[in-house]
Amino acid sequence: MRFTSRQHLDSGVLEREFTLGETPGTLWTPGSTAPVPLILMAHNNGLPKAQPRLVARARHCAAYGFAVASIDAAGCGDRPLSAADEQARADLGRAMRAGEPVDELFESLVGPLVEGAAPEWRATLDALLAQPGIGGPVGYSGWAALGIRLAVTEPRIAAAGFFAGGYVPRVQRAEARRVGVPLLFLLQWDDEGNPRRRALDLFDAFGSREKTLHANPGGHTGTPWFEVDDANRFFARHLT
Amino acid sequence: MRFTSRQHLDSGVLEREFTLGETPGTLWTPGSTAPVPLILMAHNNGLPKAQPRLVARARHCAAYGFAVASIDAAGCGDRPLSAADEQARADLGRAMRAGEPVDELFESLVGPLVEGAAPEWRATLDALLAQPGIGGPVGYSGWAALGIRLAVTEPRIAAAGFFAGGYVPRVQRAEARRVGVPLLFLLQWDDEGNPRRRALDLFDAFGSREKTLHANPGGHTGTPWFEVDDANRFFARHLT
């Protein structure tokens, strides 16, 4: 793991870019030097780790007292998609805008994206836990499909916050019953890209004994800021 | 308003029984002497204000820094029900246990209960806001049907937390669209007495621009304690 840049924020948070093999990542750590829990923060369907809403959440979460990391896994952010995946992403966007059925397009694009991303996140987790000041336990926050895969394959993940969840590949919908960690499931009641009924069915399917649903009115990007604080308290309850 | 007993709790909270005309009530106030917001805390379908889960919530909420009040309105707690209402309550309990349709029984019992309770809660609100150390603004917490009626008829209520909401009389289901205050709607995902679909439809119906749904697995009485803290923070956001 090689750090390529560092920036000190007014909050005391240290923001560092790193690379791990082919994988570019960002690590946010609080001012304190004592070991802190780690939260892996991923964006739905391969949006870039530099996306401003993710960066704002990550900085806030680190200022609260967690180490936070995000990566651009294969097919995410600036990393190249195959011509076929580029085509599938374009077709998916067009079909969603046109209100056409998207399940097969979604499956063909996001299914492989999750399969490809999970090993890179696990390798990143290994490398991060070897860093000074990152003690674990480990939380996961964000992209539901990737989080389900990590939660059922990665025993070091002790709590998870998932967002949206209206579209999740078949494999992860089936894996949801095997998710057992405490869960905070956040959805937007009027999410234009995530059918409410499907998101509620996914919440119902999770095997976790402790799982909490939070829902607010508005579209996909309309989550109120207080949910970021609620998520910090959720992770504090389970990781500290 | 006549105070009939007082008890100092270890938390610093002062718990006082009072009567206002025919209405018995309890007022919990924090140690501080500075004016604090008031939260009206009511129990579903006329359960007594002395019910231990309500008392525990009220004491915690007062220790957090709010004045909290509950009353036994007409037909609630120890106050007499008409012979017809006694029969309706017995029939409703029997029908629910037998899994029979309960809408008409519920309507005939709870519809009048809400109509009778609302004026007593409003009279109590007038008397409480005249007390030293109770400054307002006012929040409402608990029984959804009564809270809807109060929220649409009582402009002094600035925020509301409703629980359950699977069965709400027709009149209040219609009034839900006129509720405009910030709302925290809490339900139990497996509430044996509150059909999930109906509770979600009620959340959908509220007119409030800010409304948040919280749901947890388990039956009616299984709400995790952290939801009490979430409710305190919700009221702090809107009442202070």
Side-chain angles (χ1 to χ4, degrees):
Chain A
M1 172 167 252
R2 194 165 58 80
F3 288 99
T4 57
S5 78
R6 57 195 290 126
Q7 178 186 1
H8 283 279
L9 308 179
D10 295 344
S11 60
V13 169
L14 175 61
E15 181 174 284
R16 284 174 288 178
E17 300 298 315
F18 66 82
T19 57
L20 182 70
E22 296 294 292
T23 310
T26 309
L27 174 62
W28 295 267
T29 47
S32 79
T33 56
V36 291
L38 171 65
I39 294 175
L40 304 177
M41 194 171 283
H43 234 4
N44 280 19
N45 303 348
L47 288 178
K49 65 181 177 59
Q51 205 276 347
R53 288 184 300 125
L54 181 138
V55 171
R57 256 169 55 230
R59 289 173 169 177
H60 190 76
C61 187
Y64 187 87
F66 297 110
V68 182
S70 191
I71 62 171
D72 284 339
C76 302
D78 302 332
R79 293 180 64 184
L81 281 175
S82 70
D85 288 346
E86 289 286 8
Q87 187 57 54
R89 178 166 285 177
D91 294 346
L92 178 61
R94 187 192 46 70
M96 278 192 160
R97 286 188 296 275
E100 295 165 12
V102 298
D103 286 277
E104 291 315 314
L105 291 166
F106 182 86
E107 200 68 38
S108 64
L109 174 67
V110 179
L113 201 57
V114 172
E115 301 293 336
E120 289 194 51
W121 280 90
R122 298 186 68 182
T124 304
L125 178 54
D126 292 335
L128 287 167
L129 289 177
Q131 295 293 316
I134 300 181
V138 181
Y140 174 89
S141 174
W143 183 9
L146 174 65
I148 291 168
R149 166 52 54 89
L150 290 176
V152 298
T153 54
E154 180 46 75
R156 290 173 294 185
I157 291 180
F162 296 151
F163 178 62
Y167 285 107
V168 166
R170 282 185 201 92
V171 172
Q172 280 72 49
R173 285 206 301 277
E175 286 174 334
R177 300 194 180 285
R178 291 170 42 213
V179 172
V181 294
L183 212 63
L184 179 60
F185 188 72
L186 174 65
L187 65 86
Q188 284 292 93
W189 199 244
D190 312 293
D191 191 329
E192 53 282 18
N194 285 276
R196 184 188 304 162
R197 179 80 257 149
R198 292 184 182 207
L200 294 174
D201 289 346
L202 183 64
F203 175 72
D204 194 56
F206 288 117
S208 306
R209 192 179 49 73
E210 178 179 335
K211 55 182 179 180
T212 300
L213 171 69
H214 284 192
N216 294 280
H220 188 73
T221 61
T223 302
W225 184 255
F226 60 74
E227 290 289 353
V228 177
D229 293 319
D230 282 7
N232 286 342
R233 280 187 295 268
F234 166 79
F235 285 117
R237 210 161 63 234
H238 296 289
L239 303 183
T240 60
Chain B
M1 171 170 254
R2 195 166 57 82
F3 289 99
T4 57
S5 77
R6 56 195 289 126
Q7 178 185 2
H8 283 278
L9 309 178
D10 295 343
S11 59
V13 168
L14 175 61
E15 181 174 283
R16 285 174 286 179
E17 301 298 315
F18 65 82
T19 57
L20 182 69
E22 297 295 292
T23 310
T26 310
L27 174 63
W28 295 266
T29 46
S32 78
T33 55
V36 291
L38 170 65
I39 293 174
L40 304 176
M41 194 172 283
H43 234 5
N44 281 18
N45 303 349
L47 288 177
K49 65 180 176 60
Q51 206 277 346
R53 288 186 298 123
L54 181 138
V55 171
R57 256 170 53 229
R59 289 174 170 177
H60 190 76
C61 188
Y64 187 88
F66 298 111
V68 182
S70 191
I71 63 171
D72 285 340
C76 303
D78 302 332
R79 295 181 63 183
L81 280 176
S82 70
D85 288 346
E86 289 286 8
Q87 187 58 52
R89 180 166 287 179
D91 294 345
L92 178 62
R94 186 193 46 69
M96 277 192 161
R97 286 189 296 277
E100 296 164 12
V102 297
D103 286 277
E104 290 316 313
L105 290 166
F106 182 87
E107 200 68 37
S108 64
L109 175 67
V110 179
L113 202 57
V114 172
E115 301 293 336
E120 290 194 51
W121 279 90
R122 298 186 67 183
T124 304
L125 178 54
D126 293 334
L128 287 167
L129 290 177
Q131 295 293 317
I134 300 180
V138 181
Y140 173 90
S141 174
W143 183 9
L146 174 64
I148 291 168
R149 166 52 52 90
L150 291 176
V152 298
T153 55
E154 180 46 77
R156 290 173 293 186
I157 291 180
F162 297 151
F163 178 61
Y167 285 106
V168 166
R170 279 184 203 94
V171 173
Q172 279 72 50
R173 284 207 300 277
E175 286 173 334
R177 300 193 180 284
R178 291 171 41 214
V179 172
V181 295
L183 211 63
L184 180 60
F185 188 71
L186 174 65
L187 64 87
Q188 283 293 93
W189 198 244
D190 312 294
D191 191 328
E192 52 281 19
N194 285 277
R196 184 188 305 162
R197 180 80 257 149
R198 291 184 183 207
L200 295 174
D201 289 345
L202 183 63
F203 174 72
D204 193 56
F206 288 117
S208 306
R209 191 179 49 74
E210 178 178 336
K211 56 182 180 180
T212 301
L213 171 69
H214 283 194
N216 294 280
H220 188 71
T221 61
T223 302
W225 184 256
F226 60 73
E227 290 289 353
V228 177
D229 293 318
D230 282 7
N232 286 342
R233 280 187 295 268
F234 165 79
F235 285 118
R237 213 162 60 236
H238 295 289
L239 303 183
T240 60

